[in-house]
Amino acid sequence: MKRAQVLFLLILISFVFVAFTQEKTEEKKQKDVSYSHLNVAQIAGKRLFVLKKCSDCHTLDEEAKDDLTPVTDKRDDDWFAGHVKKESPIVLREEKSKRKQRRILRDEIQALDEFLYQTKPKEREQIESMPENVFEGAYLVYQNNCLNCHSIAGLGKDIAPDLTEVANRHDRQWFVANLKDPKQFKEDTIMPSFAHLPEENLEAIADYLETLK
Ligand code: HEC
Ligand code: HEC
């Protein structure tokens, strides 16, 4: 081989090596991140802000110069609930009974309120920087009422185990298997199966649960 060829080969090898180790550290970074202290309702609120089309008229950026209205001042709760109902009749979970449908709307208003007014700047920053799959997973945990039995970071109920550090007990594969068929791990469990959800939803929930440590 000519010297130029050897040199070229060496450079190529080092490029591949650098790319490989970088990818490894990226992977590790994602694995090390913990979101166990964040409030799921606040995360869901951010997602609802877009899904309920508030972002068609509003911006979260106080200094925005376009024609969107910044959401800054907190008005009273009745005004807020009335405004959400009037401007955004979309409710994101279909329920047959009127009573349940009203409860869902109330939960959504609560989540929007939590995100817009109860998040500290640091928490908001962390929510904004969540990877898309983890963000979606947290929203799905809220949306599928997991917190009617479980709790995370102090939010939810204590009918079932607290999930705040659940990633220390199980891995991603186990989470997906348990969501599909909880009875395979405990025959008489009250946890319902979520096998009706699309596979990518189950994967997203597992991605989020993996950050709870
Ligand atoms: C069709 C446009 C539109 C949509 C959709 C909309 N809003 Fe508004 N919103 C407005 C306008 C216009 C105002 C200012 C009204 C006023 O001053 O009385 C406002 C005011 C507000 C305010 C008071 C802001 C302040 O600083 O005084 C809040 C909070 C708010 N909206 C939240 C929401 C949320 C949450 C949603 C989604 C569920 C939403 N809005 C959907 C148009 C909209
Ligand atoms: C009706 C109550 C109920 C609902 C709703 C529910 N679970 Fe569970 N879940 C349980 C119970 C109870 C257990 C513990 C197993 C047992 O002893 O039956 C459990 C166990 C778990 C575990 C393992 C916990 C551990 O510490 O080992 C995970 C993870 C979990 N559930 C996630 C979820 C997710 C995610 C959702 C929503 C998509 C959900 N659960 C909805 C009742 C529920």
Side-chain angles (χ1 to χ4, degrees), residues 34-128:
S34 163
Y35 293 110
S36 58
H37 58 293
L38 292 179
N39 174 312
V40 173
Q42 293 178 351
I43 301 170
K46 174 163 192 266
R47 186 97 178 84
L48 287 165
F49 192 78
V50 177
L51 293 177
K52 285 175 78 82
K53 301 197 188 298
C54 314
S55 53
D56 282 5
C57 300
H58 290 289
T59 172
L60 293 171
D61 178 0
E62 285 172 33
E63 267 121 63
K65 298 216 166 40
D66 45 28
D67 33 353
L68 296 172
T69 316
V71 185
T72 43
D73 301 333
K74 167 89 171 135
R75 303 208 188 160
D76 72 66
D77 291 346
D78 287 344
W79 184 91
F80 185 69
H83 181 70
V84 172
K85 283 182 195 153
K86 175 163 152 275
E87 298 297 347
S88 177
I90 319 157
V91 176
L92 290 154
R93 217 164 351 112
E94 281 300 322
E95 285 286 356
K96 283 177 211 82
S97 91
K98 280 239 162 66
R99 192 179 53 86
K100 280 191 178 158
Q101 199 70 54
R102 269 200 304 274
R103 205 188 63 213
I104 291 168
L105 185 60
R106 201 190 57 214
D107 286 352
E108 288 183 354
I109 291 169
Q110 170 77 22
L112 283 165
D113 187 283
E114 291 245 2
F115 173 65
L116 293 171
Y117 303 115
Q118 328 283 330
T119 40
K120 300 193 189 83
K122 181 114 200 285
E123 290 164 343
R124 199 181 268 217
E125 219 173 87
Q126 285 170 324
I127 293 173
E128 315 234 300

